[in-house]
Amino acid sequence: MSENSKDKYRRERKLRIEEVDAMRKILQGQGYCVECGHNDPRDLEMHHLGRARNNPDLVVSLCRNCHGRLTRKQDFWPKKSLDKNNPPIMREASIYRGLSEFFAELAQRSFEEYGIA
């Protein structure tokens, strides 16, 4: 096996291990979409509430639809929120914003469910 083949194999293996670890976290965590309740583990994804760079451990499981909706909201955050070298106060602000958008989605869904919207 050539050196390039070995490197490729190692990279692919590392990716597979990361995927298994991500799925394990979802299944050991909530195990369902915390926004809509969808519970097919094949459709669940981890969502970083304050973006991964700001807090890689602050995650919830969401179905693909809910995850896409919340991620699209994050796409409109200031580009500065993606900076790796942000001071702690900026990272905290991003976490608070992610939490507030997440809870606003939950509240809206509850209001609609009970005909209050």
Side-chain angles (χ1 to χ4, degrees):
M1 189 181 283
S2 71
E3 192 60 35
N4 285 340
S5 297
K6 286 181 186 178
D7 288 343
K8 182 179 179 187
Y9 170 77
R10 287 183 187 128
R11 278 194 307 275
E12 289 175 354
R13 185 171 188 275
K14 184 177 183 245
L15 285 174
R16 284 193 305 273
I17 290 170
E18 289 171 358
E19 290 172 354
V20 167
D21 286 346
M23 183 56 76
R24 184 177 295 121
K25 285 181 185 177
I26 290 172
L27 293 175
Q28 289 175 347
Q30 295 92 11
Y32 60 93
C33 177
V34 296
E35 186 169 326
C36 73
H38 184 75
N39 63 3
D40 184 344
R42 296 171 295 183
D43 294 332
L44 297 178
E45 300 175 344
M46 290 182 0
H47 177 68
H48 294 89
L49 289 169
R51 290 217 148 136
R53 285 195 173 116
N54 296 310
N55 188 332
D57 298 323
L58 185 60
V59 297
V60 294
S61 62
L62 296 172
C63 69
R64 291 179 184 152
N65 291 334
C66 293
H67 185 213
R69 189 171 46 259
L70 281 171
T71 299
R72 282 189 297 279
K73 286 185 177 189
Q74 288 180 340
D75 289 344
F76 291 98
W77 290 11
K79 296 300 175 204
K80 178 73 174 146
S81 69
L82 294 173
D83 194 336
K84 286 188 236 180
N85 300 317
N86 278 336
I89 191 72
M90 183 67 157
R91 289 194 302 270
E92 287 176 22
S94 294
I95 291 167
Y96 296 147
R97 185 170 184 174
L99 286 168
S100 68
E101 288 179 355
F102 172 69
F103 286 122
E105 288 271 332
L106 285 178
Q108 184 63 37
R109 184 173 293 275
S110 296
F111 289 148
E112 289 171 359
E113 209 172 288
Y114 289 98
I116 300 173

